[in-house]
Amino acid sequence: MSLFRLTLSTIFRRKAWAVCAFVVLVMPFLLPKMSSGTENPALLKPALAQAAWGMAWLSAVFWGFFAASRIGDRLSRSGLGEYFHSSGLSATRQLLETWAALMIYIAPLGLAAALVSIFAASPAAPDESAMWIATNFQYALLFALVVAPLVALAIALSTRFGNLTGFVVSGGLTFYGLYGVGYLKLLLSVEGNPLLTWIWSASPHYHFADPTERLRYKLGAIEWSQFPLLVAYFTGIALLYIAASRLLFRVKAAA
């Protein structure tokens, strides 16, 4: 059995992906009812869309990155990676096959959030509905561009430093890029420190891949003239993480 098929079947048998599917597809309908979202009917649909995307991001981090870290750690510590390497499967190919198997389960989370948002929270006006559909599919693509290299990084780090390091670093980068850079910008508006300015500029601005504000206030889709620039930005970050992942990945745990 190939490493890709082995990883794919292992994830499937553990059934955690089914919990994530429930969280993304069902929980957005339950969460607004457990909050104040039902008090104002006009807020119900934006709350549902926000919940769907929030659940997708949380599932990607707390299940996707954890699964990637655990699989990477097991690959190096159990001798499985060394076995496949002796069978002719290079380290690069092992990283690629493990990553591909994980992404089959993780990437659809963004698509599921987009579909929930489109079919359950789309505006009634035809022009707004068309813009809503475009916005959700744009962010489904950005979601995959952000998550994919972080999954590879989680795998690679865990093969060298253990599953806790892989999970914490990949998850920490995600939350920092989504929320931390915003707080850093607020700090810069109070105190213009050159070092903090450089850190902010060099940070991964994953908040550009979070559609919460755009959907909540119906700001419309990203301008198609600007969208390729955003894709190129996240692709550049992805290439850096992929290169780092290949350098860090190892088929055998340190003695």
Side-chain angles (χ1 to χ4, degrees):
M1 180 180 288
S2 68
L3 181 57
F4 170 77
R5 291 176 58 195
L6 178 63
T7 305
L8 199 67
S9 61
T10 299
I11 299 171
F12 182 80
R13 285 197 300 269
R14 287 175 176 167
K15 306 299 183 185
W17 58 269
V19 176
C20 291
F22 175 84
V23 166
V24 178
L25 296 173
V26 178
M27 286 300 290
F29 296 94
L30 302 178
L31 290 175
K33 295 181 179 180
M34 294 186 287
S35 66
S36 59
T38 56
E39 295 180 3
N40 186 347
L43 298 177
L44 184 59
K45 286 187 175 182
L48 196 153
Q50 181 178 348
W53 279 103
M55 292 300 99
W57 280 107
L58 290 175
S59 297
V61 173
F62 288 105
W63 172 71
F65 296 165
F66 177 77
S69 301
R70 183 174 57 183
I71 289 172
D73 183 61
R74 182 184 176 188
L75 187 65
S76 62
R77 293 186 184 278
S78 67
L80 191 62
E82 194 174 10
Y83 164 76
F84 277 106
H85 191 264
S86 64
S87 301
L89 197 65
S90 67
T92 302
R93 184 69 179 271
Q94 288 189 43
L95 175 60
L96 179 62
E97 291 193 10
T98 307
W99 170 85
L102 281 158
M103 285 304 297
I104 285 178
Y105 292 94
I106 298 172
L109 293 173
L111 181 60
L115 292 176
V116 168
S117 180
I118 290 169
F119 287 107
S122 184
D127 55 340
E128 290 185 2
S129 178
M131 191 67 71
W132 187 271
I133 293 171
T135 303
N136 277 279
F137 280 120
Q138 282 180 339
Y139 280 97
L141 175 59
L142 296 180
F143 175 88
L145 278 175
V146 168
V147 168
L150 288 166
V151 169
L153 188 63
I155 296 169
L157 282 169
S158 61
T159 62
R160 186 171 292 269
F161 303 111
N163 57 354
L164 181 61
T165 301
F167 172 70
V168 169
V169 171
S170 56
L173 282 170
T174 304
F175 286 121
Y176 171 69
L178 286 172
Y179 310 110
V181 290
Y183 291 107
L184 185 59
K185 187 175 182 180
L186 288 175
L187 183 60
L188 286 172
S189 65
V190 177
E191 180 182 355
N193 188 301
L195 178 60
L196 292 180
T197 301
W198 181 86
I199 293 173
W200 181 85
S201 300
S203 297
H205 292 262
Y206 292 145
H207 56 93
F208 290 135
D210 180 13
T212 300
E213 295 296 321
R214 190 169 288 272
L215 294 177
R216 181 188 301 166
Y217 299 111
K218 295 183 180 180
L219 300 178
I222 303 168
E223 292 292 336
W224 288 108
S225 60
Q226 301 297 320
F227 187 67
L229 297 177
L230 203 54
V231 170
Y233 171 73
F234 287 123
T235 301
I237 295 176
L239 292 175
L240 288 175
Y241 285 1
I242 290 169
S245 299
R246 179 57 191 91
L247 290 173
L248 291 167
F249 183 83
R250 63 192 307 167
V251 298
K252 181 180 178 181

